[in-house]
Short mmCIF file of all heavy atoms in Angstrom, two decimals:
data_model
loop_
_atom_site.label_atom_id
_atom_site.label_comp_id
_atom_site.label_asym_id
_atom_site.label_seq_id
_atom_site.Cartn_x
_atom_site.Cartn_y
_atom_site.Cartn_z
N SER A 1339 16.86 -146.32 10.34
CA SER A 1339 15.63 -146.68 9.64
C SER A 1339 15.89 -147.75 8.59
O SER A 1339 16.84 -147.65 7.80
CB SER A 1339 15.04 -145.45 8.94
OG SER A 1339 13.94 -145.82 8.13
N PRO A 1340 15.05 -148.78 8.51
CA PRO A 1340 15.12 -149.70 7.38
C PRO A 1340 14.82 -148.95 6.08
O PRO A 1340 13.98 -148.04 6.06
CB PRO A 1340 14.02 -150.73 7.68
CG PRO A 1340 13.79 -150.63 9.15
CD PRO A 1340 14.04 -149.19 9.50
N VAL A 1341 15.49 -149.32 5.01
CA VAL A 1341 15.37 -148.62 3.74
C VAL A 1341 15.15 -149.62 2.61
O VAL A 1341 15.85 -150.63 2.52
CB VAL A 1341 16.64 -147.79 3.43
CG1 VAL A 1341 16.52 -147.10 2.07
CG2 VAL A 1341 16.90 -146.76 4.53
N LEU A 1342 14.18 -149.32 1.74
CA LEU A 1342 14.03 -150.03 0.49
C LEU A 1342 14.50 -149.08 -0.61
O LEU A 1342 13.84 -148.08 -0.91
CB LEU A 1342 12.58 -150.44 0.24
CG LEU A 1342 12.29 -151.10 -1.12
CD1 LEU A 1342 13.13 -152.36 -1.30
CD2 LEU A 1342 10.81 -151.40 -1.27
N ALA A 1343 15.67 -149.35 -1.17
CA ALA A 1343 16.29 -148.49 -2.17
C ALA A 1343 15.92 -148.96 -3.56
O ALA A 1343 16.19 -150.10 -3.93
CB ALA A 1343 17.81 -148.49 -2.00
N VAL A 1344 15.29 -148.08 -4.33
CA VAL A 1344 14.80 -148.42 -5.67
C VAL A 1344 15.50 -147.57 -6.72
O VAL A 1344 15.63 -146.35 -6.56
CB VAL A 1344 13.27 -148.21 -5.75
CG1 VAL A 1344 12.78 -148.39 -7.18
CG2 VAL A 1344 12.55 -149.17 -4.82
N ALA A 1345 15.96 -148.21 -7.77
CA ALA A 1345 16.54 -147.51 -8.93
C ALA A 1345 16.41 -148.43 -10.13
O ALA A 1345 16.19 -149.63 -9.98
CB ALA A 1345 18.00 -147.14 -8.68
N ARG A 1346 16.56 -147.88 -11.32
CA ARG A 1346 16.36 -148.71 -12.51
C ARG A 1346 17.65 -149.33 -13.03
O ARG A 1346 17.61 -150.22 -13.87
CB ARG A 1346 15.69 -147.89 -13.61
CG ARG A 1346 16.42 -146.63 -14.02
CD ARG A 1346 15.58 -145.83 -15.00
NE ARG A 1346 16.18 -144.55 -15.32
CZ ARG A 1346 15.59 -143.64 -16.10
NH1 ARG A 1346 14.42 -143.89 -16.62
NH2 ARG A 1346 16.18 -142.49 -16.35
N ASP A 1347 18.80 -148.88 -12.52
CA ASP A 1347 20.09 -149.40 -12.96
C ASP A 1347 20.59 -150.42 -11.93
O ASP A 1347 20.98 -150.07 -10.82
CB ASP A 1347 21.09 -148.26 -13.11
CG ASP A 1347 22.39 -148.69 -13.77
OD1 ASP A 1347 22.93 -149.75 -13.37
OD2 ASP A 1347 22.88 -147.98 -14.67
N ALA A 1348 20.59 -151.69 -12.31
CA ALA A 1348 20.96 -152.76 -11.37
C ALA A 1348 22.41 -152.64 -10.91
O ALA A 1348 22.72 -152.87 -9.73
CB ALA A 1348 20.73 -154.12 -12.01
N SER A 1349 23.31 -152.27 -11.79
CA SER A 1349 24.72 -152.19 -11.42
C SER A 1349 24.97 -151.07 -10.41
O SER A 1349 25.76 -151.23 -9.47
CB SER A 1349 25.59 -151.99 -12.66
OG SER A 1349 25.28 -150.77 -13.31
N ARG A 1350 24.30 -149.94 -10.58
CA ARG A 1350 24.45 -148.84 -9.62
C ARG A 1350 23.84 -149.21 -8.27
O ARG A 1350 24.37 -148.84 -7.22
CB ARG A 1350 23.83 -147.57 -10.18
CG ARG A 1350 24.55 -147.01 -11.40
CD ARG A 1350 23.94 -145.75 -11.91
NE ARG A 1350 24.11 -144.65 -10.95
CZ ARG A 1350 23.68 -143.41 -11.18
NH1 ARG A 1350 23.03 -143.12 -12.31
NH2 ARG A 1350 23.87 -142.47 -10.28
N LEU A 1351 22.75 -149.94 -8.29
CA LEU A 1351 22.16 -150.41 -7.03
C LEU A 1351 23.11 -151.37 -6.31
O LEU A 1351 23.22 -151.34 -5.08
CB LEU A 1351 20.83 -151.11 -7.30
CG LEU A 1351 19.56 -150.27 -7.17
CD1 LEU A 1351 18.33 -151.15 -7.40
CD2 LEU A 1351 19.46 -149.57 -5.83
N GLN A 1352 23.79 -152.22 -7.08
CA GLN A 1352 24.74 -153.14 -6.48
C GLN A 1352 25.88 -152.39 -5.81
O GLN A 1352 26.34 -152.75 -4.72
CB GLN A 1352 25.28 -154.11 -7.54
CG GLN A 1352 24.25 -155.12 -8.00
CD GLN A 1352 24.75 -155.95 -9.18
OE1 GLN A 1352 25.83 -155.71 -9.73
NE2 GLN A 1352 23.96 -156.94 -9.58
N ARG A 1353 26.35 -151.31 -6.45
CA ARG A 1353 27.42 -150.50 -5.85
C ARG A 1353 26.92 -149.82 -4.56
O ARG A 1353 27.66 -149.73 -3.58
CB ARG A 1353 27.92 -149.45 -6.85
CG ARG A 1353 28.72 -150.03 -8.00
CD ARG A 1353 29.54 -148.96 -8.70
NE ARG A 1353 28.70 -147.98 -9.38
CZ ARG A 1353 28.27 -148.11 -10.63
NH1 ARG A 1353 28.57 -149.20 -11.33
NH2 ARG A 1353 27.53 -147.18 -11.18
N LEU A 1354 25.68 -149.36 -4.58
CA LEU A 1354 25.11 -148.75 -3.38
C LEU A 1354 25.04 -149.77 -2.25
O LEU A 1354 25.40 -149.47 -1.10
CB LEU A 1354 23.71 -148.20 -3.69
CG LEU A 1354 22.96 -147.55 -2.53
CD1 LEU A 1354 23.63 -146.24 -2.13
CD2 LEU A 1354 21.49 -147.31 -2.89
N ALA A 1355 24.58 -150.98 -2.57
CA ALA A 1355 24.49 -152.03 -1.55
C ALA A 1355 25.87 -152.38 -1.01
O ALA A 1355 26.04 -152.62 0.19
CB ALA A 1355 23.81 -153.26 -2.13
N ALA A 1356 26.88 -152.40 -1.88
CA ALA A 1356 28.24 -152.72 -1.45
C ALA A 1356 28.78 -151.65 -0.50
O ALA A 1356 29.54 -151.96 0.43
CB ALA A 1356 29.15 -152.86 -2.66
N MET A 1357 28.39 -150.39 -0.70
CA MET A 1357 28.83 -149.32 0.18
C MET A 1357 28.28 -149.49 1.60
O MET A 1357 28.87 -149.02 2.57
CB MET A 1357 28.38 -147.96 -0.37
CG MET A 1357 29.11 -147.51 -1.62
SD MET A 1357 28.36 -146.00 -2.31
CE MET A 1357 28.52 -144.90 -0.91
N HIS A 1358 27.13 -150.17 1.70
CA HIS A 1358 26.48 -150.35 3.00
C HIS A 1358 26.32 -151.84 3.30
O HIS A 1358 25.29 -152.28 3.81
CB HIS A 1358 25.11 -149.67 3.00
CG HIS A 1358 25.16 -148.21 2.68
ND1 HIS A 1358 25.61 -147.26 3.57
CD2 HIS A 1358 24.82 -147.53 1.54
CE1 HIS A 1358 25.53 -146.06 3.01
NE2 HIS A 1358 25.06 -146.19 1.79
N ALA A 1359 27.36 -152.59 2.99
CA ALA A 1359 27.28 -154.05 3.12
C ALA A 1359 27.05 -154.51 4.55
O ALA A 1359 26.53 -155.61 4.77
CB ALA A 1359 28.57 -154.68 2.57
N ASP A 1360 27.40 -153.68 5.51
CA ASP A 1360 27.23 -154.06 6.91
C ASP A 1360 25.90 -153.59 7.49
O ASP A 1360 25.68 -153.66 8.70
CB ASP A 1360 28.37 -153.49 7.76
CG ASP A 1360 28.45 -151.97 7.69
OD1 ASP A 1360 27.86 -151.38 6.75
OD2 ASP A 1360 29.10 -151.36 8.57
N GLU A 1361 25.00 -153.09 6.63
CA GLU A 1361 23.71 -152.57 7.10
C GLU A 1361 22.60 -153.57 6.79
O GLU A 1361 22.14 -153.68 5.65
CB GLU A 1361 23.40 -151.23 6.41
CG GLU A 1361 24.28 -150.08 6.85
CD GLU A 1361 23.88 -149.56 8.23
OE1 GLU A 1361 22.91 -150.06 8.81
OE2 GLU A 1361 24.56 -148.63 8.71
N PRO A 1362 22.11 -154.29 7.79
CA PRO A 1362 21.04 -155.26 7.53
C PRO A 1362 19.70 -154.60 7.20
O PRO A 1362 18.80 -155.25 6.68
CB PRO A 1362 20.93 -156.03 8.86
CG PRO A 1362 21.45 -155.09 9.89
CD PRO A 1362 22.53 -154.30 9.21
N GLY A 1363 19.58 -153.30 7.47
CA GLY A 1363 18.31 -152.62 7.22
C GLY A 1363 18.13 -152.16 5.79
O GLY A 1363 17.08 -151.59 5.46
#
């Protein structure tokens, strides 16, 4: 499923994105 991940801490969101760097969704 495509996911729009929302959080108020930009740095934590960046770490989340890095964990799934190969996921275009």
